[in-house]
Amino acid sequence: MSPPNWKAFRENLRAWYRPERRPMPWKQASDPYRIWLSEIILQQTRVEQGLPYFERFVHAYPNVEALAAAPDDEVMKQWEGLGYYSRARNLLRAARLVAGSMDGHFPDTYAGLLQLPGVGPYTAAAIASFAFGRQVAVLDGNVYRVLARYAGDATPTDESRSRKYFQQLADRAMADTPAAIFNQAIMDFGALVCTPKRADCAHCPLAADCRALKEGRVYQLPVKGKKAPRRARFFHYLVVSDARDRYLLHRREESDVWRELYQFPLLETETADLSAEQLYRRVEWPTWLRPEELAAGRRSRVFQQQLSHQTISAVFHEFTQAPAAGAPPLPYAWVARTAFDAYAFPRLITRFLEDNRPTLGF
Ligand code: SF4
């Protein structure tokens, strides 16, 4: 079989491309700070969801120095709801590195950008090409899909060898087309025309040479390897309030999920179906919380959140603590209900708070 017609690919793609087809506030900008910020926010996030966050961040922190100087908790609060909180922590670390030892200047090469926390091959290629005009092709989900379909290539996209292989395809497809244009064009094309479930093959400018179309394999490509099953986890949050309308909270330090976000005291067990009385008897129960000083209240429905490798089911158990509650051990603290807006919570807890706004007054 002859190799894919990459010349026709880039020429037709370039003829199709119009920046205004998919307008983004950072498009055609060359400010590395905005490009970096948008790319970090949009990782694993839909554009419609990420856009308001980008705008909020740029407004609150117009440059890398402003972001670097922001308190951690404030940035986590701005990030609240976006998920994948390690991205927010890396965002801050990278901002402080750039504002500090790099005098406010982002590295201007692909290799240099890869040194920044949270910047992987895709983000480094995007910043290097969009901000600094470097000739590097990006690889994201859209690019994998367009390349795999056009070339009729069934190489799995999620194996360790795939990145290198698809990078070679992308480089061949791009050749000497300016990377900033090619990258934007192929990503827009994947988002607007060669979409995962409804590719517009009938009006596609690449159709004449598209192997997947010719072979009737459009929706079989790209090929993905088998995913590991998601791990099921069961969280029981203890929503303990006192007579002064304060609640016990602490900042999560575990590195598995939601590190540095705030939560109620938590027991993790092997089932969602446990009553307050059963929880008291569990070895996971915090010994400093005395059941005899608590009055058990309502138990919530089960809230679920899907993360990339796990499904978390959470139940919220309400308790009231006897009026003479003393100071809890660190890192726990009593926090007034009216101050909750200043704390960043995982989405799961925010949903519980929203559900209970009328009764608990959150
Ligand atoms: S013909 Fe269809 S599958 Fe092929 S590149 Fe165009 S939209 Fe994608």
Side-chain angles (χ1 to χ4, degrees):
M1 210 196 317
S2 57
N5 187 348
W6 292 123
K7 187 166 179 293
F9 179 92
R10 60 181 158 270
E11 286 174 1
N12 289 326
L13 186 66
R14 192 162 179 182
W16 170 87
Y17 179 60
R18 304 261 180 287
E20 61 279 10
R21 280 193 211 271
R22 199 169 166 235
M24 308 279 179
W26 52 84
K27 230 174 182 177
Q28 292 178 302
S30 56
D31 173 8
Y33 171 67
R34 283 178 170 236
I35 292 170
W36 164 75
L37 191 59
S38 69
E39 295 297 345
I40 301 289
I41 288 176
L42 290 184
Q43 283 168 19
Q44 291 150 312
T45 301
R46 283 176 298 108
V47 172
E48 312 80 72
Q49 192 201 354
L51 207 57
Y53 283 87
F54 172 77
E55 278 160 0
R56 224 177 300 149
F57 264 83
V58 169
H59 185 253
Y61 316 114
N63 50 47
V64 72
E65 287 81 5
L67 178 57
D72 292 27
D73 273 357
E74 185 188 292
V75 173
M76 296 306 270
K77 183 68 191 165
Q78 295 275 14
W79 192 271
E80 188 183 66
L82 259 183
Y84 300 97
Y85 287 88
S86 57
R87 285 188 290 157
R89 290 190 290 275
N90 280 331
L91 185 85
L92 256 182
R93 285 173 56 215
R96 287 171 185 162
L97 192 68
V98 172
S101 53
M102 298 177 178
D103 280 339
H105 301 296
F106 278 82
D108 65 357
T109 62
Y110 175 75
L113 287 157
L114 272 180
Q115 305 305 316
L116 295 178
V119 173
Y122 163 77
T123 312
I127 306 171
S129 60
F130 298 142
F132 301 112
R134 301 280 176 184
Q135 197 61 8
V136 203
V138 296
L139 278 186
D140 74 347
N142 286 320
V143 179
Y144 277 116
R145 185 171 58 257
V146 173
L147 293 176
R149 286 178 176 173
Y150 184 78
D153 197 317
T155 306
T157 55
D158 52 357
E159 288 179 359
S160 51
R161 65 193 168 104
S162 330
R163 168 160 283 282
K164 204 167 161 204
Y165 177 76
F166 277 92
Q167 189 68 54
Q168 285 167 349
L169 286 192
D171 289 340
R172 224 169 287 159
M174 177 171 77
D176 56 0
T177 311
I181 293 176
F182 179 86
N183 287 339
Q184 204 60 73
I186 193 168
M187 289 193 289
D188 286 4
F189 188 79
L192 299 174
V193 181
C194 194
T195 58
K197 294 192 181 123
R198 277 196 221 158
D200 190 8
C201 303
H203 303 101
C204 172
L206 309 182
D209 296 289
C210 174
R211 293 247 171 97
L213 181 65
K214 234 173 254 168
E215 296 162 9
R217 294 194 295 147
V218 171
Y219 298 106
Q220 287 155 31
L221 296 172
V223 170
K224 288 196 178 155
K226 285 199 183 68
K227 279 203 174 145
R230 284 203 179 116
R231 175 181 164 210
R233 301 179 69 182
F234 302 95
F235 285 6
H236 293 268
Y237 286 111
L238 313 179
V239 184
V240 183
S241 59
D242 73 355
R244 291 163 58 192
D245 216 11
R246 300 178 306 172
Y247 287 78
L248 281 175
L249 290 186
H250 74 111
R251 198 155 91 138
R252 186 171 173 84
E253 293 304 337
E254 288 83 345
S255 57
D256 55 348
V257 286
W258 306 328
R259 189 154 70 87
E260 294 179 21
L261 297 196
Y262 284 82
Q263 63 178 14
F264 301 109
L266 168 67
L267 275 71
E268 183 169 357
T269 71
E270 68 299 329
T271 171
D273 190 21
L274 289 172
S275 65
E277 290 69 30
Q278 288 168 313
L279 286 176
Y280 292 151
R281 296 196 290 272
R282 300 283 305 202
V283 286
E284 298 92 350
W285 182 267
T287 48
W288 54 271
L289 261 181
R290 293 183 208 283
E292 61 273 19
E293 292 177 5
L294 299 175
R298 293 176 309 173
R299 181 171 69 159
S300 76
R301 66 183 173 90
V302 179
F303 288 78
Q304 262 199 352
Q305 187 166 346
Q306 306 283 355
L307 302 175
S308 45
H309 303 296
Q310 43 192 317
T311 301
I312 296 185
S313 302
V315 180
F316 294 81
H317 302 260
E318 291 170 34
F319 298 92
T320 37
Q321 167 106 11
L330 288 173
Y332 297 89
W334 287 109
V335 174
R337 190 186 62 191
T338 47
F340 272 26
D341 278 352
Y343 292 80
F345 296 105
R347 177 82 194 113
L348 200 65
I349 295 186
T350 317
R351 276 167 51 210
F352 165 76
L353 296 178
E354 280 164 3
D355 259 24
N356 289 281
R357 199 176 291 277
T359 46
L360 296 180
F362 287 117

